[in-house]
Amino acid sequence: MKKIILLLQLLLSVTSFAQGFLHRDGQKIVDGSGKNILLRGLGTGGWMVQEGYMLQTQPFASPQYVIKQKIQDVIGEEGTKEFYAAYKANGITKRDVDSLAAWGFNSIRLPMHYNLYTPPIEAEKNGEITWIEEGFTMTDNLLKWCAENKMYLILDLHAAPGGQGNDAAISDYDTTKPSLWQSEANQKKMIALWKKLAARYRDNAWIGAYDIINEPNWNFTGTNKNGCDENGNGPLRDLMVAVTKAIREVDTNHLIFIEGNCWGNNYNGIFPLWDENMALSFHKYWNYNTTESIQKMLNYRTQYNVPIWLGESGENSNVWFKDVLTLMEGNNIGWAFWPMKKIENIAGVTSVTKIPEYDVLLKYWKDGGEKPSADFAKKTLMKIADNYKMENLTVKPDVIDAMFRQVQTNATKPYKKNAIPGKIAATHYDLGTTGFAYYDKDFVNYRIETGKFDEWNKGNTMRNDGVDILPCNDSGSNGYQVSFIENDEWLQYTVEVAKQNSYKVSIRYSSENEEGKLHLEMDNGKKTESISLPSTGGKNNWKTIFLYDVDLNKGTNKIKVVFDKGNFNLNYLEFASSSKKALKK
């Protein structure tokens, strides 16, 4: 038996060695065989560290400790413990990791809250540092699921002891207590935590890297409270050097990511680097996707002969996603998007369903008034926790498509299976890039001509493309409609036609005061007449108008619905095997 165990240990050791640890090779991140590894990752934001905007509590409860206070107010201490146990159990599971791997991700960035691994300093006795098993167990489980999927796990200290930035929600910073930068005890705790983690995982090659401090944003000598005008960043550099030293005392295998001030991007005073196995992380949100936007990081890569990594990005349109990832991959820069789960959102790979009862809690927390009963509040919160299970999420295929397939090609593919004869929902236009799957005049977050931010999907629902979508109350709908239609916009649908025929098309639409117009264009080169859509007298007054003699070939067809004149809402098009000619006979 002892020989079998030794043999298994040897095999495991050989497997680990063959795959090898990720490490720096000049300006590249490579594995043990020297193969360049382009990290394509997702951050599990909200699991260990809640942020108010993910739970729709941001206006009145943004950091996690405030969110927890609000919850405790309505369901008590024991109920709160029960909620958080369910929330964390459902937040990330093996099924989540399996799904991420199937979608194309090869890594996960784990945003850690220190208080799952070690108590806050005020809870310690005599300055002693003690440990909590919960965080380590959660990490162990996630690492196991990653290894089973051959995915790298990157450990990210998202909430450091005391909090590392004035942007309080990010690090759960409580302004009534000493921050990371105001407390030597907090800094010692952070250093000890990284040494503990490194000792635990030093021999596991599926740990991709240690991202030792997330988005520090603090003014040491400058006037900008988030550290964007710092020229020295001495305390940040000193702490990262100390953390690195502690890690290297127990672990010489793993790559270390560092981040600058100003949410990870201000590297003034951080150089020269102090470790041979290190890479620079930067974060990118809400700006242009041009080479100029990342030129400073490209310069650092060349000047210091060090890899760079986009450690966090997202929260934007599919067009922006496709463009930023094309920019990254074209420059051999790995990435980790953000986050995986939020309540009722279109810009993530999944969305957590919000129940009406949750709105009651949000209103009470925000405005006060009559307090919901503890029973009502607990049932509501436990249902929300249940909705975080992978099987209860709404997966967003358009977001996933933009992040992976669209980066490689402008080819289009069906969003859903569209069969003719049959009904095609207006919102089931093809997956693909703007100008190929659809054309909408507002598809980015920033308008050059106005210098203002705009909503790319004015309804902020269902899909994350430039097409504007609203909920639909018309019978026969899929629950959504295309709205805010402008002149010359269009949508393309890939359809499977059962039989070559001339079809009648029922067009279901609504409008207030103006007449709309549309026509169809087929990939066989034919197009229909432009049909007028008279005003229906109101956006909720739905009518059907018919377009005849639409000739389609058997098999796969691509049909473009072109809006010659907008200002109407479109519910669906229904194709039937009869035409005006046939009716006349």
Side-chain angles (χ1 to χ4, degrees):
M1 188 66 179
K2 213 177 258 186
K3 288 182 178 178
I4 294 172
I5 292 170
L6 287 171
L7 181 60
L8 285 171
Q9 288 176 338
L10 179 63
L11 287 171
L12 285 170
S13 175
V14 169
T15 303
S16 178
F17 179 79
Q19 172 237 320
F21 294 91
L22 291 188
H23 62 277
R24 168 185 165 268
D25 180 7
Q27 297 174 30
K28 299 184 296 182
I29 295 173
V30 300
D31 67 11
S33 67
K35 177 185 175 184
N36 183 71
I37 299 296
L38 189 71
L39 292 168
R40 296 181 173 99
L42 194 69
T44 56
W47 185 37
M48 286 186 168
V49 188
Q50 291 176 322
E51 294 183 45
Y53 83 98
M54 298 183 192
L55 297 166
Q56 298 189 354
T57 65
Q58 186 172 17
F60 50 86
S62 205
Q64 179 174 269
Y65 79 93
V66 182
I67 297 168
K68 192 171 183 179
Q69 288 170 359
K70 295 289 184 184
I71 293 172
Q72 194 161 321
D73 172 59
V74 291
I75 62 175
E77 187 174 347
E78 288 306 311
T80 301
K81 288 179 182 177
E82 191 175 341
F83 164 74
Y84 275 100
Y87 178 89
K88 286 180 282 192
N90 299 338
I92 299 295
T93 66
K94 184 179 186 303
R95 184 166 175 174
D96 291 290
V97 179
D98 293 346
S99 298
L100 291 173
W103 297 337
F105 294 97
N106 64 10
S107 53
I108 288 176
R109 180 174 179 248
L110 173 63
M112 304 179 297
H113 197 308
Y114 84 92
N115 69 10
L116 292 169
Y117 302 83
T118 182
I121 54 171
E122 60 268 23
E124 303 279 32
K125 294 180 180 179
N126 303 318
E128 180 187 2
I129 295 176
T130 59
W131 305 105
I132 300 170
E133 191 56 34
E134 182 181 12
F136 295 103
T137 300
M138 292 169 74
T139 308
D140 289 347
N141 290 337
L142 180 55
L143 178 57
K144 178 176 179 289
W145 302 328
C146 285
E148 289 169 354
N149 282 286
K150 294 181 169 54
M151 298 174 73
Y152 293 105
L153 178 62
I154 296 163
L155 304 185
D156 150 41
L157 187 55
H158 216 77
Q164 67 268 26
N166 282 306
D167 192 344
I170 294 171
S171 61
D172 195 21
Y173 169 44
D174 183 346
T175 57
T176 66
K177 298 175 182 177
S179 75
L180 176 69
W181 309 111
Q182 297 164 327
S183 165
E184 185 180 351
N186 276 328
Q187 293 181 29
K188 285 181 177 179
K189 184 174 275 284
M190 175 176 163
I191 294 166
L193 173 58
W194 271 116
K195 187 170 185 177
K196 185 85 169 176
L197 289 164
R200 191 180 187 100
Y201 299 118
R202 61 188 167 200
D203 297 322
N204 196 307
W206 289 114
I207 292 285
Y210 303 137
D211 186 357
I212 59 178
I213 186 167
N214 174 72
E215 292 189 348
N217 57 100
W218 194 267
N219 55 320
F220 302 115
T221 60
T223 58
N224 181 277
K225 70 174 186 176
N226 299 116
C228 298
D229 64 353
E230 290 293 329
N231 289 316
N233 287 310
L236 173 58
R237 186 184 196 276
D238 290 346
L239 181 59
M240 291 194 295
V241 169
V243 169
T244 304
K245 181 176 182 292
I247 289 172
R248 292 301 182 226
E249 287 173 0
V250 295
D251 179 355
T252 58
N253 293 321
H254 284 102
L255 180 67
I256 291 175
F257 286 125
I258 61 171
E259 300 189 25
N261 206 342
C262 187
W263 295 285
N265 297 307
N266 179 350
Y267 275 88
N268 294 334
I270 300 299
F271 303 105
L273 299 178
W274 52 91
D275 189 86
E276 289 299 312
N277 195 17
M278 183 175 282
L280 310 182
S281 173
F282 66 103
H283 294 186
K284 182 172 169 53
Y285 287 101
W286 295 91
N287 53 33
Y288 292 115
N289 290 315
T290 60
T291 301
E292 289 74 21
S293 71
I294 60 169
Q295 190 60 57
K296 182 175 283 189
M297 296 307 301
L298 293 173
N299 292 344
Y300 288 153
R301 179 167 69 177
T302 303
Q303 183 177 354
Y304 297 104
N305 193 34
V306 64
I308 58 176
W309 175 62
L310 178 59
E312 204 178 290
S313 188
E315 306 288 15
N316 214 302
S317 70
N318 284 342
V319 174
W320 196 89
F321 290 171
K322 181 260 182 187
D323 288 346
V324 72
L325 295 181
T326 299
L327 178 65
M328 293 306 114
E329 300 202 358
N331 284 282
N332 192 35
I333 301 171
W335 48 268
F337 254 45
W338 181 267
M340 184 175 181
K341 299 180 184 181
K342 278 169 45 184
I343 290 178
E344 292 296 335
N345 83 103
I346 61 171
V349 294
T350 70
S351 177
V352 179
T353 300
K354 182 171 71 169
I355 57 176
E357 294 85 349
Y358 190 61
D359 277 325
V360 175
L361 283 185
L362 292 177
K363 188 175 188 312
Y364 166 71
W365 284 332
K366 181 175 182 288
D367 301 327
E370 185 178 353
K371 186 175 183 178
S373 71
D375 182 63
F376 171 88
K378 186 176 179 183
K379 284 179 180 176
T380 299
L381 287 165
M382 294 306 289
K383 177 58 179 171
I384 288 291
D386 192 63
N387 285 352
Y388 273 79
K389 291 178 180 175
M390 186 70 210
E391 57 266 33
N392 295 333
L393 298 173
T394 300
V395 176
K396 298 293 185 177
D398 57 299
V399 176
I400 297 166
D401 192 69
M403 293 174 66
F404 290 98
R405 193 185 64 86
Q406 291 176 33
V407 174
Q408 309 300 327
T409 178
N410 285 320
T412 61
K413 62 182 287 189
Y415 178 83
K416 296 276 188 181
K417 183 178 180 181
N418 295 316
I420 293 179
K423 182 190 294 184
I424 300 173
T427 55
H428 288 176
Y429 59 90
D430 283 355
L431 293 169
T433 56
T434 179
F436 292 86
Y438 67 93
Y439 170 66
D440 191 284
K441 292 181 180 179
D442 299 312
F443 58 85
V444 293
N445 66 290
Y446 193 74
R447 299 293 298 269
I448 296 172
E449 62 270 26
T450 64
K452 295 181 180 179
F453 292 104
D454 278 334
E455 289 286 348
W456 51 92
N457 174 347
K458 290 186 177 69
N460 194 36
T461 191
M462 189 184 168
R463 295 180 66 167
N464 196 42
D465 302 309
V467 179
D468 304 306
I469 297 174
L470 286 173
C472 183
N473 60 5
D474 183 33
S475 62
S477 79
N478 68 332
Y480 301 98
Q481 66 195 41
V482 174
S483 299
F484 304 101
I485 294 170
E486 297 186 49
N487 298 353
D488 302 319
E489 295 180 342
W490 53 264
L491 303 169
Q492 178 184 280
Y493 303 85
T494 298
V495 299
E496 294 299 322
V497 180
K499 180 181 178 182
Q500 182 174 345
N501 208 337
S502 187
Y503 289 86
K504 178 182 79 171
V505 185
S506 305
I507 302 167
R508 189 72 170 169
Y509 77 102
S510 73
S511 59
E512 295 201 61
N513 302 312
E514 297 188 39
E515 177 184 81
K517 282 188 176 182
L518 65 75
H519 72 272
L520 307 186
E521 296 179 4
M522 278 62 71
D523 56 356
N524 60 12
K526 295 183 178 181
K527 68 164 70 173
T528 70
E529 63 178 323
S530 183
I531 185 172
S532 295
L533 308 176
S535 170
T536 66
K539 60 185 179 181
N540 293 318
N541 295 333
W542 294 89
K543 291 187 178 179
T544 303
I545 199 163
F546 302 99
L547 183 61
Y548 296 92
D549 303 322
V550 178
D551 297 323
L552 297 173
N553 297 323
K554 180 180 179 180
T556 303
N557 289 247
K558 290 186 182 292
I559 300 174
K560 187 183 288 186
V561 182
V562 181
F563 307 120
D564 304 299
K565 188 177 179 183
N567 295 307
F568 64 92
N569 305 304
L570 185 62
N571 181 352
Y572 62 79
L573 295 89
E574 188 164 15
F575 291 74
S577 300
S578 60
S579 69
K580 193 173 183 180
K581 292 176 184 176
L583 290 171
K584 285 181 177 178
K585 291 181 181 177

